[in-house]
Amino acid sequence: MTKQDLRIIYMGTPDFAVGPLKTLVESGFNIVAVVTGMDKPQGRGRKIQPTPVKEYAVEHNIPVLQPEKLKNPEFVEELRSYKADLQVVVAFRMLPEVVWDMPKMGTFNLHAALLPQYRGAAPLNWAVINGEKKTGVTTFLLDKDIDTGRIMLQKEVAIEDNDTVGTVHDKLMLVGQDLVVETVEKLIDGSMKFIDQDSLIGKDTILKHAPKSFKEDCRINFENDGDTIRNLVRGLSPYPAAFTTINVKGKEMGLKVFECEVEKCQNHEIPGKLITDNKKFAKISCKNGYIYLTDVQLEGKKRMKIIEFLRGINLEN
């Protein structure tokens, strides 16, 4: 079977999913249709916008399917009408068996972690939050359980000390698009070797999970040590962002923290106490020192560096 003969349906929604689709198209693969999320209102004007994947597909005359429910019989029949040999999933929602089991070559997913570690919805965030020094991408066949199917290919990527989830996202996006193409090529030429995830889990293996984060998961706990807090900030920056509250003119207001630095020292202050000169610095006491705020956003305001922030506001120590 050649690239042109292999009929591929591609499923994805955000920017992260555009790169692999673009690389497949530019490599000469036959993408017969794209499945993506619904158009949604975005921005201040709440104007209805297509997903990034839809935008790319429309520009390249690829048919687009936008089902509200993946089990809808009409959608399932429409999907079946494309007679796909293979389905490729990148940053999409969970598929029902009737969908992932449809193509004769199966459906594979690109996961932003080194499986079996960090199964779940937010692998990038949790790898950085947990202070990992490396992560990666994995292609694997979908099965009935979440992120447990047979591994196809993996590629490691380093997490540097100053990386945020945003910068790691960009690294993995580039590596991931090449891994998707390599995976399809190996499926075509029959050289793919599948690895059962259970074979990688020893009796002493501790599996780390990556559940979706909720608002309270993003709240900074200043009773933690500085490195733990900084990792949380890095792992949630730029989105959804770690946050705390500060007193502004007698009112408690939310403050998102995008970047911070750690000062390790003997500290007898109550955890969470704000100390500032209201000119150049603002720091908050934590378990083993202080967290210096360097890039923040007060609710209702724009994101700014701390010096600019302090110019326009007087904080209470």
Side-chain angles (χ1 to χ4, degrees):
M1 183 179 288
T2 66
K3 291 180 179 180
Q4 292 73 28
D5 294 330
L6 183 71
R7 297 176 62 82
I8 299 174
I9 286 179
Y10 187 89
M11 302 183 180
T13 294
D15 287 328
F16 188 85
V18 175
L21 173 60
K22 180 175 183 287
T23 307
L24 285 168
V25 170
E26 292 178 351
S27 298
F29 289 99
N30 181 19
I31 310 299
V32 297
V34 156
V35 182
T36 190
M38 305 290 288
D39 297 354
K40 291 183 178 180
Q42 295 180 19
R44 288 188 175 182
R46 306 305 290 165
K47 183 179 178 181
I48 300 296
Q49 298 286 344
T51 72
V53 164
K54 179 181 178 179
E55 284 188 315
Y56 180 87
V58 170
E59 289 172 2
H60 292 80
N61 300 311
I62 302 171
V64 176
L65 285 67
Q66 293 177 278
E68 190 170 348
K69 295 182 179 179
L70 295 174
K71 290 184 179 180
N72 185 304
E74 293 179 358
F75 164 68
V76 172
E77 285 309 307
E78 184 178 12
L79 191 67
R80 189 172 281 118
S81 72
Y82 284 96
K83 297 181 171 61
D85 301 301
L86 176 70
Q87 291 177 156
V88 178
V89 182
V90 180
F92 196 56
R93 56 195 199 259
M94 192 168 70
L95 303 182
E97 184 172 357
V98 68
V99 172
W100 61 255
D101 196 41
M102 191 180 293
K104 62 183 179 182
M105 293 177 68
T107 299
F108 79 80
N109 181 53
L110 176 71
H111 188 71
L114 297 172
L115 292 173
Q117 295 293 352
Y118 292 106
R119 294 168 175 166
L124 289 183
N125 300 95
W126 286 105
V128 180
I129 289 170
N130 288 340
E132 301 287 0
K133 298 303 181 185
K134 68 177 181 180
T135 183
V137 282
T138 303
T139 52
F140 71 99
L141 281 175
L142 293 184
D143 63 13
K144 293 181 179 179
D145 296 315
I146 297 175
D147 300 336
T148 60
R150 288 181 295 161
I151 290 172
M152 303 161 90
L153 298 175
Q154 291 187 318
K155 183 74 173 179
E156 286 187 8
V157 171
I159 301 177
E160 306 295 343
D161 184 59
N162 288 323
D163 272 331
T164 65
V165 71
T167 58
V168 175
H169 167 280
D170 293 346
K171 291 181 187 180
L172 294 189
M173 187 163 56
L174 294 174
V175 174
Q177 62 193 33
D178 293 335
L179 198 71
V180 165
V181 170
E182 185 181 353
T183 300
V184 179
E185 288 174 342
K186 285 184 175 292
L187 287 172
I188 290 175
D189 67 23
S191 64
M192 180 65 70
K193 295 181 180 180
F194 299 90
I195 302 172
D196 193 314
Q197 288 195 42
D198 287 342
S199 70
L200 303 177
I201 304 172
K203 62 178 182 179
D204 297 324
T205 302
I206 299 174
L207 290 181
K208 298 175 183 178
H209 300 284
K212 180 180 178 180
S213 295
F214 295 95
K215 184 175 181 179
E216 281 307 303
D217 298 317
C218 303
R219 183 186 293 274
I220 299 171
N221 180 359
F222 288 98
E223 293 186 0
N224 287 329
D225 65 78
D227 289 337
T228 298
I229 293 170
R230 183 170 179 269
N231 286 341
L232 178 73
V233 169
R234 292 168 57 225
L236 297 173
S237 179
Y239 183 82
F243 76 96
T244 186
T245 56
I246 59 173
N247 192 309
V248 180
K249 296 181 179 178
K251 181 181 178 182
E252 287 292 314
M253 300 186 70
L255 183 75
K256 291 182 178 180
V257 183
F258 298 99
E259 294 177 13
C260 66
E261 297 297 336
V262 179
E263 177 189 358
K264 295 181 180 179
C265 63
Q266 288 287 339
N267 179 9
H268 302 292
E269 300 283 1
I270 298 172
K273 180 175 175 56
L274 173 68
I275 298 171
T276 179
D277 65 354
N278 275 306
K279 293 180 181 179
K280 293 184 178 180
F281 79 89
K283 63 182 183 180
I284 300 177
S285 60
C286 62
K287 183 177 179 180
N288 63 339
Y290 296 94
I291 295 294
Y292 275 79
L293 306 177
T294 58
D295 191 336
V296 298
Q297 182 178 10
L298 190 67
E299 60 180 274
K301 303 293 183 180
K302 68 176 184 178
R303 176 178 171 177
M304 57 187 77
K305 297 297 182 181
I306 194 65
I307 293 178
E308 181 186 3
F309 174 78
L310 291 174
R311 258 193 228 118
I313 196 165
N314 190 48
L315 298 178
E316 297 179 17
N317 284 288

PDB file of all heavy atoms in Angstrom, residues 177-203:
ATOM      1  N   GLN A 177       4.732  15.926  15.601  1.00  0.00           N
ATOM      2  CA  GLN A 177       4.296  15.875  14.205  1.00  0.00           C
ATOM      3  C   GLN A 177       5.166  14.924  13.393  1.00  0.00           C
ATOM      4  O   GLN A 177       4.660  14.195  12.519  1.00  0.00           O
ATOM      5  CB  GLN A 177       4.283  17.272  13.594  1.00  0.00           C
ATOM      6  CG  GLN A 177       5.600  17.983  13.528  1.00  0.00           C
ATOM      7  CD  GLN A 177       5.455  19.466  13.196  1.00  0.00           C
ATOM      8  OE1 GLN A 177       4.484  20.114  13.578  1.00  0.00           O
ATOM      9  NE2 GLN A 177       6.417  20.007  12.474  1.00  0.00           N
ATOM     10  N   ASP A 178       6.445  14.871  13.691  1.00  0.00           N
ATOM     11  CA  ASP A 178       7.328  13.936  12.991  1.00  0.00           C
ATOM     12  C   ASP A 178       7.061  12.497  13.427  1.00  0.00           C
ATOM     13  O   ASP A 178       7.149  11.562  12.609  1.00  0.00           O
ATOM     14  CB  ASP A 178       8.786  14.297  13.251  1.00  0.00           C
ATOM     15  CG  ASP A 178       9.178  15.628  12.623  1.00  0.00           C
ATOM     16  OD1 ASP A 178       8.529  16.029  11.642  1.00  0.00           O
ATOM     17  OD2 ASP A 178      10.119  16.272  13.127  1.00  0.00           O
ATOM     18  N   LEU A 179       6.743  12.314  14.719  1.00  0.00           N
ATOM     19  CA  LEU A 179       6.479  10.966  15.215  1.00  0.00           C
ATOM     20  C   LEU A 179       5.215  10.378  14.590  1.00  0.00           C
ATOM     21  O   LEU A 179       5.154   9.182  14.303  1.00  0.00           O
ATOM     22  CB  LEU A 179       6.355  10.974  16.737  1.00  0.00           C
ATOM     23  CG  LEU A 179       6.500   9.605  17.407  1.00  0.00           C
ATOM     24  CD1 LEU A 179       7.951   9.125  17.325  1.00  0.00           C
ATOM     25  CD2 LEU A 179       6.057   9.632  18.869  1.00  0.00           C
ATOM     26  N   VAL A 180       4.202  11.216  14.363  1.00  0.00           N
ATOM     27  CA  VAL A 180       2.967  10.752  13.721  1.00  0.00           C
ATOM     28  C   VAL A 180       3.268  10.237  12.313  1.00  0.00           C
ATOM     29  O   VAL A 180       2.818   9.160  11.919  1.00  0.00           O
ATOM     30  CB  VAL A 180       1.917  11.883  13.687  1.00  0.00           C
ATOM     31  CG1 VAL A 180       0.784  11.545  12.716  1.00  0.00           C
ATOM     32  CG2 VAL A 180       1.342  12.114  15.076  1.00  0.00           C
ATOM     33  N   VAL A 181       4.036  11.007  11.557  1.00  0.00           N
ATOM     34  CA  VAL A 181       4.386  10.593  10.194  1.00  0.00           C
ATOM     35  C   VAL A 181       5.196   9.297  10.212  1.00  0.00           C
ATOM     36  O   VAL A 181       4.935   8.371   9.427  1.00  0.00           O
ATOM     37  CB  VAL A 181       5.165  11.711   9.472  1.00  0.00           C
ATOM     38  CG1 VAL A 181       5.737  11.199   8.157  1.00  0.00           C
ATOM     39  CG2 VAL A 181       4.256  12.904   9.229  1.00  0.00           C
ATOM     40  N   GLU A 182       6.173   9.215  11.117  1.00  0.00           N
ATOM     41  CA  GLU A 182       6.984   7.996  11.216  1.00  0.00           C
ATOM     42  C   GLU A 182       6.118   6.792  11.562  1.00  0.00           C
ATOM     43  O   GLU A 182       6.326   5.685  11.044  1.00  0.00           O
ATOM     44  CB  GLU A 182       8.081   8.179  12.266  1.00  0.00           C
ATOM     45  CG  GLU A 182       9.049   7.011  12.347  1.00  0.00           C
ATOM     46  CD  GLU A 182      10.126   7.202  13.403  1.00  0.00           C
ATOM     47  OE1 GLU A 182      10.217   8.293  13.999  1.00  0.00           O
ATOM     48  OE2 GLU A 182      10.887   6.235  13.654  1.00  0.00           O
ATOM     49  N   THR A 183       5.137   7.003  12.435  1.00  0.00           N
ATOM     50  CA  THR A 183       4.236   5.910  12.818  1.00  0.00           C
ATOM     51  C   THR A 183       3.449   5.394  11.623  1.00  0.00           C
ATOM     52  O   THR A 183       3.352   4.181  11.396  1.00  0.00           O
ATOM     53  CB  THR A 183       3.272   6.381  13.923  1.00  0.00           C
ATOM     54  OG1 THR A 183       4.017   6.787  15.067  1.00  0.00           O
ATOM     55  CG2 THR A 183       2.321   5.259  14.324  1.00  0.00           C
ATOM     56  N   VAL A 184       2.883   6.316  10.837  1.00  0.00           N
ATOM     57  CA  VAL A 184       2.111   5.902   9.666  1.00  0.00           C
ATOM     58  C   VAL A 184       3.010   5.189   8.655  1.00  0.00           C
ATOM     59  O   VAL A 184       2.621   4.167   8.066  1.00  0.00           O
ATOM     60  CB  VAL A 184       1.413   7.113   9.017  1.00  0.00           C
ATOM     61  CG1 VAL A 184       0.635   6.669   7.769  1.00  0.00           C
ATOM     62  CG2 VAL A 184       0.461   7.784   9.997  1.00  0.00           C
ATOM     63  N   GLU A 185       4.204   5.684   8.457  1.00  0.00           N
ATOM     64  CA  GLU A 185       5.122   5.056   7.505  1.00  0.00           C
ATOM     65  C   GLU A 185       5.459   3.629   7.924  1.00  0.00           C
ATOM     66  O   GLU A 185       5.518   2.720   7.075  1.00  0.00           O
ATOM     67  CB  GLU A 185       6.396   5.894   7.391  1.00  0.00           C
ATOM     68  CG  GLU A 185       6.189   7.207   6.653  1.00  0.00           C
ATOM     69  CD  GLU A 185       7.411   8.106   6.657  1.00  0.00           C
ATOM     70  OE1 GLU A 185       8.308   7.885   7.509  1.00  0.00           O
ATOM     71  OE2 GLU A 185       7.472   9.021   5.816  1.00  0.00           O
ATOM     72  N   LYS A 186       5.672   3.407   9.212  1.00  0.00           N
ATOM     73  CA  LYS A 186       5.995   2.056   9.687  1.00  0.00           C
ATOM     74  C   LYS A 186       4.787   1.122   9.583  1.00  0.00           C
ATOM     75  O   LYS A 186       4.939  -0.086   9.378  1.00  0.00           O
ATOM     76  CB  LYS A 186       6.512   2.107  11.130  1.00  0.00           C
ATOM     77  CG  LYS A 186       7.944   2.625  11.254  1.00  0.00           C
ATOM     78  CD  LYS A 186       8.438   2.576  12.684  1.00  0.00           C
ATOM     79  CE  LYS A 186       9.918   2.978  12.766  1.00  0.00           C
ATOM     80  NZ  LYS A 186      10.792   1.971  12.128  1.00  0.00           N
ATOM     81  N   LEU A 187       3.600   1.674   9.744  1.00  0.00           N
ATOM     82  CA  LEU A 187       2.400   0.849   9.562  1.00  0.00           C
ATOM     83  C   LEU A 187       2.259   0.424   8.102  1.00  0.00           C
ATOM     84  O   LEU A 187       1.866  -0.709   7.796  1.00  0.00           O
ATOM     85  CB  LEU A 187       1.160   1.619  10.009  1.00  0.00           C
ATOM     86  CG  LEU A 187       0.986   1.803  11.523  1.00  0.00           C
ATOM     87  CD1 LEU A 187      -0.167   2.750  11.816  1.00  0.00           C
ATOM     88  CD2 LEU A 187       0.753   0.455  12.211  1.00  0.00           C
ATOM     89  N   ILE A 188       2.589   1.325   7.198  1.00  0.00           N
ATOM     90  CA  ILE A 188       2.485   1.014   5.771  1.00  0.00           C
ATOM     91  C   ILE A 188       3.488  -0.055   5.353  1.00  0.00           C
ATOM     92  O   ILE A 188       3.146  -1.008   4.634  1.00  0.00           O
ATOM     93  CB  ILE A 188       2.684   2.287   4.920  1.00  0.00           C
ATOM     94  CG1 ILE A 188       1.494   3.230   5.065  1.00  0.00           C
ATOM     95  CG2 ILE A 188       2.869   1.922   3.442  1.00  0.00           C
ATOM     96  CD1 ILE A 188       1.673   4.553   4.342  1.00  0.00           C
ATOM     97  N   ASP A 189       4.748   0.087   5.808  1.00  0.00           N
ATOM     98  CA  ASP A 189       5.769  -0.876   5.350  1.00  0.00           C
ATOM     99  C   ASP A 189       5.853  -2.134   6.214  1.00  0.00           C
ATOM    100  O   ASP A 189       6.659  -3.029   5.956  1.00  0.00           O
ATOM    101  CB  ASP A 189       7.151  -0.206   5.242  1.00  0.00           C
ATOM    102  CG  ASP A 189       7.735   0.232   6.593  1.00  0.00           C
ATOM    103  OD1 ASP A 189       7.353  -0.306   7.641  1.00  0.00           O
ATOM    104  OD2 ASP A 189       8.604   1.149   6.594  1.00  0.00           O
ATOM    105  N   GLY A 190       5.020  -2.201   7.253  1.00  0.00           N
ATOM    106  CA  GLY A 190       4.945  -3.412   8.068  1.00  0.00           C
ATOM    107  C   GLY A 190       6.066  -3.582   9.071  1.00  0.00           C
ATOM    108  O   GLY A 190       6.230  -4.666   9.649  1.00  0.00           O
ATOM    109  N   SER A 191       6.830  -2.513   9.331  1.00  0.00           N
ATOM    110  CA  SER A 191       7.981  -2.632  10.242  1.00  0.00           C
ATOM    111  C   SER A 191       7.646  -2.251  11.690  1.00  0.00           C
ATOM    112  O   SER A 191       8.521  -2.291  12.550  1.00  0.00           O
ATOM    113  CB  SER A 191       9.132  -1.752   9.745  1.00  0.00           C
ATOM    114  OG  SER A 191       8.769  -0.376   9.771  1.00  0.00           O
ATOM    115  N   MET A 192       6.408  -1.883  11.958  1.00  0.00           N
ATOM    116  CA  MET A 192       6.031  -1.464  13.310  1.00  0.00           C
ATOM    117  C   MET A 192       6.131  -2.623  14.298  1.00  0.00           C
ATOM    118  O   MET A 192       5.659  -3.727  14.032  1.00  0.00           O
ATOM    119  CB  MET A 192       4.613  -0.895  13.315  1.00  0.00           C
ATOM    120  CG  MET A 192       4.139  -0.428  14.680  1.00  0.00           C
ATOM    121  SD  MET A 192       5.117   0.965  15.278  1.00  0.00           S
ATOM    122  CE  MET A 192       4.560   2.247  14.149  1.00  0.00           C
ATOM    123  N   LYS A 193       6.747  -2.356  15.447  1.00  0.00           N
ATOM    124  CA  LYS A 193       6.805  -3.323  16.538  1.00  0.00           C
ATOM    125  C   LYS A 193       6.015  -2.754  17.721  1.00  0.00           C
ATOM    126  O   LYS A 193       6.345  -1.688  18.232  1.00  0.00           O
ATOM    127  CB  LYS A 193       8.254  -3.592  16.941  1.00  0.00           C
ATOM    128  CG  LYS A 193       9.068  -4.262  15.845  1.00  0.00           C
ATOM    129  CD  LYS A 193      10.500  -4.541  16.292  1.00  0.00           C
ATOM    130  CE  LYS A 193      11.290  -5.212  15.181  1.00  0.00           C
ATOM    131  NZ  LYS A 193      12.704  -5.490  15.582  1.00  0.00           N
ATOM    132  N   PHE A 194       4.990  -3.456  18.123  1.00  0.00           N
ATOM    133  CA  PHE A 194       4.102  -2.988  19.181  1.00  0.00           C
ATOM    134  C   PHE A 194       4.609  -3.449  20.551  1.00  0.00           C
ATOM    135  O   PHE A 194       5.149  -4.543  20.693  1.00  0.00           O
ATOM    136  CB  PHE A 194       2.678  -3.511  18.958  1.00  0.00           C
ATOM    137  CG  PHE A 194       2.073  -3.047  17.662  1.00  0.00           C
ATOM    138  CD1 PHE A 194       2.225  -3.792  16.501  1.00  0.00           C
ATOM    139  CD2 PHE A 194       1.367  -1.867  17.598  1.00  0.00           C
ATOM    140  CE1 PHE A 194       1.668  -3.366  15.303  1.00  0.00           C
ATOM    141  CE2 PHE A 194       0.802  -1.427  16.412  1.00  0.00           C
ATOM    142  CZ  PHE A 194       0.958  -2.174  15.258  1.00  0.00           C
ATOM    143  N   ILE A 195       4.430  -2.572  21.547  1.00  0.00           N
ATOM    144  CA  ILE A 195       4.868  -2.886  22.911  1.00  0.00           C
ATOM    145  C   ILE A 195       3.673  -2.826  23.852  1.00  0.00           C
ATOM    146  O   ILE A 195       2.985  -1.798  23.935  1.00  0.00           O
ATOM    147  CB  ILE A 195       5.941  -1.885  23.395  1.00  0.00           C
ATOM    148  CG1 ILE A 195       7.149  -1.899  22.453  1.00  0.00           C
ATOM    149  CG2 ILE A 195       6.359  -2.193  24.825  1.00  0.00           C
ATOM    150  CD1 ILE A 195       8.161  -0.814  22.747  1.00  0.00           C
ATOM    151  N   ASP A 196       3.417  -3.919  24.554  1.00  0.00           N
ATOM    152  CA  ASP A 196       2.347  -3.949  25.550  1.00  0.00           C
ATOM    153  C   ASP A 196       2.766  -3.093  26.739  1.00  0.00           C
ATOM    154  O   ASP A 196       3.859  -3.283  27.293  1.00  0.00           O
ATOM    155  CB  ASP A 196       2.107  -5.386  25.989  1.00  0.00           C
ATOM    156  CG  ASP A 196       0.818  -5.542  26.780  1.00  0.00           C
ATOM    157  OD1 ASP A 196       0.582  -4.713  27.691  1.00  0.00           O
ATOM    158  OD2 ASP A 196       0.054  -6.471  26.500  1.00  0.00           O
ATOM    159  N   GLN A 197       1.925  -2.154  27.144  1.00  0.00           N
ATOM    160  CA  GLN A 197       2.295  -1.275  28.260  1.00  0.00           C
ATOM    161  C   GLN A 197       2.537  -2.038  29.557  1.00  0.00           C
ATOM    162  O   GLN A 197       3.378  -1.636  30.368  1.00  0.00           O
ATOM    163  CB  GLN A 197       1.220  -0.203  28.474  1.00  0.00           C
ATOM    164  CG  GLN A 197       1.197   0.853  27.385  1.00  0.00           C
ATOM    165  CD  GLN A 197       0.394   2.074  27.792  1.00  0.00           C
ATOM    166  OE1 GLN A 197       0.475   2.547  28.924  1.00  0.00           O
ATOM    167  NE2 GLN A 197      -0.385   2.604  26.851  1.00  0.00           N
ATOM    168  N   ASP A 198       1.832  -3.118  29.760  1.00  0.00           N
ATOM    169  CA  ASP A 198       2.029  -3.903  30.987  1.00  0.00           C
ATOM    170  C   ASP A 198       3.457  -4.423  31.107  1.00  0.00           C
ATOM    171  O   ASP A 198       3.968  -4.608  32.218  1.00  0.00           O
ATOM    172  CB  ASP A 198       1.047  -5.080  31.031  1.00  0.00           C
ATOM    173  CG  ASP A 198      -0.378  -4.631  31.325  1.00  0.00           C
ATOM    174  OD1 ASP A 198      -0.544  -3.498  31.825  1.00  0.00           O
ATOM    175  OD2 ASP A 198      -1.315  -5.396  31.050  1.00  0.00           O
ATOM    176  N   SER A 199       4.107  -4.622  29.973  1.00  0.00           N
ATOM    177  CA  SER A 199       5.489  -5.127  30.002  1.00  0.00           C
ATOM    178  C   SER A 199       6.467  -4.070  30.509  1.00  0.00           C
ATOM    179  O   SER A 199       7.608  -4.391  30.868  1.00  0.00           O
ATOM    180  CB  SER A 199       5.910  -5.595  28.608  1.00  0.00           C
ATOM    181  OG  SER A 199       6.063  -4.487  27.722  1.00  0.00           O
ATOM    182  N   LEU A 200       6.029  -2.819  30.545  1.00  0.00           N
ATOM    183  CA  LEU A 200       6.880  -1.719  31.016  1.00  0.00           C
ATOM    184  C   LEU A 200       6.614  -1.359  32.470  1.00  0.00           C
ATOM    185  O   LEU A 200       7.266  -0.475  33.020  1.00  0.00           O
ATOM    186  CB  LEU A 200       6.654  -0.483  30.138  1.00  0.00           C
ATOM    187  CG  LEU A 200       6.903  -0.654  28.637  1.00  0.00           C
ATOM    188  CD1 LEU A 200       6.567   0.639  27.906  1.00  0.00           C
ATOM    189  CD2 LEU A 200       8.343  -1.074  28.363  1.00  0.00           C
ATOM    190  N   ILE A 201       5.653  -2.042  33.067  1.00  0.00           N
ATOM    191  CA  ILE A 201       5.272  -1.745  34.445  1.00  0.00           C
ATOM    192  C   ILE A 201       5.777  -2.859  35.358  1.00  0.00           C
ATOM    193  O   ILE A 201       5.210  -3.953  35.405  1.00  0.00           O
ATOM    194  CB  ILE A 201       3.746  -1.596  34.587  1.00  0.00           C
ATOM    195  CG1 ILE A 201       3.231  -0.519  33.627  1.00  0.00           C
ATOM    196  CG2 ILE A 201       3.369  -1.244  36.023  1.00  0.00           C
ATOM    197  CD1 ILE A 201       1.716  -0.422  33.560  1.00  0.00           C
ATOM    198  N   GLY A 202       6.875  -2.598  36.056  1.00  0.00           N
ATOM    199  CA  GLY A 202       7.417  -3.584  36.987  1.00  0.00           C
ATOM    200  C   GLY A 202       6.695  -3.554  38.321  1.00  0.00           C
ATOM    201  O   GLY A 202       5.857  -2.677  38.576  1.00  0.00           O
ATOM    202  N   LYS A 203       7.039  -4.500  39.197  1.00  0.00           N
ATOM    203  CA  LYS A 203       6.347  -4.580  40.484  1.00  0.00           C
ATOM    204  C   LYS A 203       6.648  -3.363  41.365  1.00  0.00           C
ATOM    205  O   LYS A 203       5.868  -3.036  42.264  1.00  0.00           O
ATOM    206  CB  LYS A 203       6.724  -5.871  41.215  1.00  0.00           C
ATOM    207  CG  LYS A 203       8.202  -5.990  41.571  1.00  0.00           C
ATOM    208  CD  LYS A 203       8.463  -7.282  42.334  1.00  0.00           C
ATOM    209  CE  LYS A 203       9.930  -7.384  42.744  1.00  0.00           C
ATOM    210  NZ  LYS A 203      10.199  -8.631  43.526  1.00  0.00           N
TER     211      LYS A 203
END
